[in-house]
Amino acid sequence: YEMYLTDAMQRGLVVEPKIVSFNFMLRETEEYQQIIEMIKNEQDETRKKQLIEKKAQIDELISGDTDITEHVKNNISKKESEEIGKIIKNTIQKKDGRYIVFLPQHSSDDELTETQYFEEQEKKIREMLFEIDAEPEISRLSSEDSKSKNHRAITDFENSDSKHLKIMLAINKLNEGVHVDGINGEIMYRKINDGSTILYLQQLGRVIYSLDPDKQILDEDIPIVYDIYNNYLVQNINRTVNQTTPK
């Protein structure tokens, strides 16, 4: 699967989505740790002050409310969520389009049922996308729901012709084996660890489709991927595909 998809992307046989990465997701990066080390070792007071101010700007964004229940699963603060929403608002091309949101896996540790978990995640997504659409259509694929209910959710999602943003929340249900037509993009709201390239490509593959050599694709029709945790960079897909993507 990995070789087939990346090879097809290299050859230009399939659409290559626009990848939006998020450079402010800094809390676990080497750069953030380097700033801390540089502050510790800097002798020049002026330079030290500049570094402390830079660290303070980062801390203001990533600190605060990440321990609140509805945010801890993603380890994203409300401030960060607001910034993500602004970036999506400024870059989204189809405000009535269809977008998949891949959520983190639900764990029994949070003492929530899967339904409650989806409700909390939905609340966060609504807050994030509020300035784009105050009343988006949000559906979900859940292992707690019957096969027929999930199938109906996909059908309604594909066929809706409303002017609202259409969002499908999913955990693992869309990783493989389920095809959804007419996807304009996705929000990767799940951090994928290094070495999980196949999982990443399964999720990325939801927005990739074959190109018609006789038909020019419009820029607005190229799917967009909001890669919140910069999974594209973690998996080093840029090197594999040998393409440059916008930030």
Side-chain angles (χ1 to χ4, degrees), residues 45 52 74 89 114 126 133 139 142-143 164 190:
E45 287 302 317
I52 290 171
N74 302 79
K89 181 183 178 183
E114 186 161 296
R126 286 187 182 277
D133 190 338
S139 51
S142 171
S143 60
H164 286 288
R190 173 181 177 179

Side-chain angles (χ1 to χ4, degrees), residues 71-242:
H71 286 274
V72 73
K73 189 70 185 178
N74 302 79
N75 201 23
I76 292 176
S77 71
K78 285 186 177 179
K79 291 177 186 176
E80 286 174 318
S81 189
E82 288 170 6
E83 292 299 319
I84 292 168
K86 290 176 187 175
I87 290 170
I88 295 176
K89 181 183 178 183
N90 291 335
T91 54
I92 197 168
Q93 290 182 285
K94 297 204 172 183
K95 295 184 179 180
D96 61 346
R98 294 171 177 78
Y99 298 86
I100 298 169
V101 179
F102 284 107
L103 299 173
Q105 286 183 296
H106 174 226
S107 167
S108 57
D109 295 343
D110 57 21
E111 298 182 349
L112 299 174
T113 65
E114 186 161 296
T115 299
Q116 290 171 327
Y117 172 74
F118 268 112
E119 288 172 352
E120 296 217 341
Q121 294 292 330
E122 179 177 331
K123 179 183 174 186
K124 282 194 290 184
I125 296 301
R126 286 187 182 277
E127 289 173 355
M128 182 185 295
L129 302 177
F130 183 79
E131 289 192 20
I132 303 169
D133 190 338
E135 297 180 3
E137 292 181 3
I138 298 186
S139 51
R140 64 184 71 162
L141 292 179
S142 171
S143 60
E144 286 192 354
D145 291 336
S146 66
K147 192 172 182 179
S148 61
K149 186 173 181 180
N150 281 325
H151 179 72
R152 189 164 62 252
I154 292 174
T155 302
D156 291 346
F157 177 66
E158 288 178 325
N159 295 330
S160 173
D161 60 358
S162 82
K163 296 300 181 184
H164 286 288
L165 199 60
K166 290 164 275 289
I167 302 293
M168 173 66 77
L169 303 180
I171 301 177
N172 290 323
K173 300 291 284 186
L174 283 170
N175 285 349
E176 56 181 327
V178 178
H179 177 72
V180 182
D181 286 323
I183 300 299
N184 301 109
E186 63 186 52
I187 301 174
M188 287 191 171
Y189 210 44
R190 173 181 177 179
K191 185 175 181 179
I192 299 176
N193 295 326
D194 188 17
S196 301
T197 306
I198 291 177
L199 173 60
Y200 174 77
L201 288 172
Q202 285 174 341
Q203 294 192 358
L204 187 67
R206 297 309 98 204
V207 298
I208 292 178
Y209 55 87
S210 298
L211 289 172
D212 183 344
D214 298 322
K215 187 177 180 182
Q216 180 71 32
I217 186 171
L218 298 175
D219 181 72
E220 65 185 40
D221 291 330
I222 298 174
I224 190 164
V225 175
Y226 294 100
D227 192 0
I228 307 298
Y229 290 97
N230 300 330
N231 293 316
Y232 188 93
L233 303 177
V234 171
Q235 304 301 327
N236 215 359
I237 301 299
N238 214 38
R239 186 184 68 179
T240 307
V241 178
N242 195 26

Side-chain angles (χ1 to χ4, degrees), residues 34-73:
Q34 285 171 1
I35 290 174
I36 294 172
E37 286 298 312
M38 289 165 71
I39 291 172
K40 194 184 299 180
N41 299 323
E42 183 60 61
Q43 301 299 316
D44 184 283
E45 287 302 317
T46 302
R47 175 66 180 150
K48 189 166 191 168
K49 185 179 178 182
Q50 291 173 342
L51 288 167
I52 290 171
E53 287 175 356
K54 181 184 278 286
K55 180 177 178 294
Q57 290 173 352
I58 297 170
D59 288 342
E60 183 183 0
L61 190 60
I62 69 176
S63 66
D65 57 2
T66 52
D67 59 335
I68 294 176
T69 303
E70 72 260 24
H71 286 274
V72 73
K73 189 70 185 178

